[in-house]
Amino acid sequence: MNSLALINEFLGQPPNASSHGYQIDHIIEFCHWFMAALFVGWSAFFIYVLIRFRKSRQPRADHGGVRSHVSTHLEFSVVMIEAVLLLGFAIPLWARRVNQFPPGKEALLVDVVAQQFSFNYHLPGPDGQFGRRDVNLVSNSNPLGIDPNDPAGKDDIVTSGELHVPVDRPVIAELSSKDVIHDYFIPDMRIAGDAIPGSLIPIWFTPVKTGTYEVVCAQLCGLGHYGMKGTLVVDTAQDYQAWLKERAELAGTQTTPPAPAQRPPGEPLGGSTPGTIPPPGGPKPPTADAEGAGASPHPAQQLHNAPASAASPTP
Ligand SMILES: [Cu+2]
């Protein structure tokens, strides 16, 4: 489905690649045209008033004011259009996003654990079970703290930076963070969600076009925020299976998952709080390993078993 998207294109919005994105694009496009009409209308009215009520023509102020009801009707129409936009389009679209998750069996489940300054992915592997994650097991070589003694975690896939998903299959991503608040944003998929330490926030989308898309962090999360990017590759079903196989083989040959991304230039060394540089001679900040690992109890397990409606985040 193609839509007239002149303003969206003008604003630099990339083409949509998800099943629900067209609706979002329609709303954004319509709102911009509506605001443009309002801007032109109110500007014309303002200029008319300046001329019509100029001092030379109206030397004495008329305290009776306007007697015509045109402006009242206009204002009522604007309120009606805005109410229709909000109640008829925006709220139903939002409700579908947060309440109507696809069944866990149909969807691809992935845990996204953000950290300064990269996104880690945890996939359950062929058994469909996520291995236990423990904050105390987090280390540079085990960035998600996966318990090596949990049989469910033996076939799990951990990757950083790049995620592959199959086309035309819903993806449920459960977001959490190891350090500060990040935001997992895939502009082409028209989806974003905050990754908050101590919270599990599920989002879902269905990619409809194969390709390589940019993932960015949309919360100012530290000095290296500008470099917090990743890649989402939407594969055909065969390519996705091949990627899974490759990842599984890689996991077999190397006992440790890939190390987290290096700190981008500009970020102070050490596990200090983002954006803060410890004063000279001050106490040493704790290392990143000692902090929360986003290793929430077991992120996706509840999501798999819970009814779809229960998977929505509570405000
Ligand atoms: Cu971030």
Side-chain angles (χ1 to χ4, degrees):
M1 183 167 65
N2 273 321
S3 61
L4 185 71
L6 293 176
I7 297 186
N8 287 354
E9 274 176 33
F10 175 72
L11 292 174
Q13 187 153 271
N16 169 54
S18 72
S19 61
H20 73 282
Y22 297 104
Q23 291 167 283
I24 291 179
D25 285 3
H26 276 135
I27 290 189
I28 295 176
E29 183 74 16
F30 181 83
C31 284
H32 278 106
W33 281 112
F34 183 50
M35 291 304 137
L38 283 184
F39 175 73
V40 171
W42 289 129
S43 300
F45 178 69
F46 177 60
I47 291 166
Y48 165 77
V49 166
L50 285 181
I51 297 168
R52 169 72 179 76
F53 300 103
R54 66 187 185 277
K55 196 181 173 190
S56 59
R57 186 169 164 178
Q58 212 81 24
R60 285 181 60 109
D62 174 5
H63 294 286
V66 180
R67 280 161 197 92
S68 145
H69 289 292
V70 175
S71 66
T72 313
H73 297 315
L74 271 176
E75 279 163 23
F76 183 74
S77 310
V78 169
V79 169
M80 281 303 290
I81 294 176
E82 282 173 359
V84 168
L85 268 179
L86 197 64
L87 301 175
F89 295 96
I91 291 178
L93 182 57
W94 172 244
R96 239 180 82 71
R97 273 308 79 212
V98 298
N99 285 332
Q100 297 173 20
F101 272 68
K105 283 194 182 99
E106 273 174 31
L108 177 82
L109 301 161
V110 55
D111 284 359
V112 179
V113 182
Q115 72 178 74
Q116 290 173 320
F117 294 94
S118 62
F119 292 108
N120 302 290
Y121 299 101
H122 181 188
L123 290 111
D127 67 352
Q129 298 272 320
F130 284 90
R132 197 178 77 86
R133 295 206 306 256
D134 186 337
V135 64
N136 296 313
L137 297 173
V138 169
S139 67
N140 276 343
S141 57
N142 186 4
L144 298 186
I146 293 179
D147 183 352
N149 299 319
D150 181 8
K154 294 278 185 229
D155 62 347
D156 285 12
I157 293 171
V158 173
T159 168
S160 179
E162 184 175 287
L163 174 70
H164 285 237
V165 295
V167 70
D168 291 328
R169 185 172 163 198
V171 178
I172 299 177
E174 200 158 76
L175 312 179
S176 60
S177 171
K178 282 163 83 168
D179 35 43
V180 300
I181 298 177
H182 301 273
D183 187 281
Y184 187 71
F185 179 29
I186 318 171
D188 299 77
M189 297 296 156
R190 306 291 191 264
I191 195 80
D194 274 355
I196 301 175
S199 290
L200 294 171
I201 298 177
I203 58 170
W204 72 280
F205 62 95
T206 307
V208 292
K209 282 186 211 163
T210 54
T212 301
Y213 305 102
E214 190 174 49
V215 177
V216 292
C217 176
Q219 289 280 10
L220 194 53
C221 58
L223 289 179
H225 162 70
Y226 71 92
M228 190 162 170
K229 290 178 186 173
T231 309
L232 177 80
V233 181
V234 178
D235 286 328
T236 59
Q238 294 91 325
D239 287 352
Y240 177 66
Q241 288 306 325
W243 178 77
L244 276 185
K245 204 165 152 243
E246 184 195 304
R247 294 307 310 185
E249 280 165 8
L250 212 66
T253 55
Q254 73 185 61
T255 45
T256 53
Q262 298 250 312
R263 280 175 180 263
E267 183 65 14
L269 294 171
S272 58
T273 311
T276 57
I277 298 169
K284 284 209 165 175
T287 59
D289 285 2
E291 285 167 18
S296 28
H298 19 89
Q301 234 66 314
Q302 318 148 309
L303 189 60
H304 309 169
N305 309 335
S309 58
S312 67
T314 32

